[in-house]
Amino acid sequence: MTLTGSSKEMEEQARMLSDSELAELAWMNDSPQALKARGEIARRTTESGKIMLLWAKIAAWAGIIAAMLALVAIGVTVMMAL
């Protein structure tokens, strides 16, 4: 569970490691391997954040559509009562 080779090779190896393996490497010291592991953790965190933001946007749009449909339903109910 060590990262060896060139910078590019270490990045590729880091992408294949699990989160726990990366965490173990990342906080050992300030070696290039630890820095690459920290970089991979940051990349995964950013990726997760983008996915969560996408789902938040979808949920917001679903809420807006639901509110509009509720207003239409209320309007139809009021018009039927008249």
Side-chain angles (χ1 to χ4, degrees):
M1 182 183 69
T2 60
L3 304 176
T4 57
S6 69
S7 178
K8 184 84 171 157
E9 290 169 342
M10 285 193 282
E11 285 177 19
E12 291 171 4
Q13 292 167 15
R15 289 185 182 189
M16 290 186 264
L17 295 176
S18 69
D19 289 346
S20 60
E21 289 172 325
L22 283 173
E24 188 176 321
L25 274 175
W27 307 115
M28 287 175 45
N29 53 31
D30 287 335
S31 67
Q33 294 84 1
L35 296 175
K36 288 294 179 185
R38 289 181 201 153
E40 178 62 17
I41 290 170
R43 186 191 68 76
R44 289 181 187 184
T45 302
T46 301
E47 213 171 85
S48 296
K50 287 179 183 178
I51 291 169
M52 283 191 284
L53 180 59
L54 172 67
W55 282 109
K57 287 179 181 179
I58 291 169
W61 279 107
I64 291 168
I65 291 169
M68 296 299 285
L69 289 174
L71 289 174
V72 169
I74 290 170
V76 168
T77 304
V78 168
M79 294 303 273
M80 294 282 230
L82 296 178

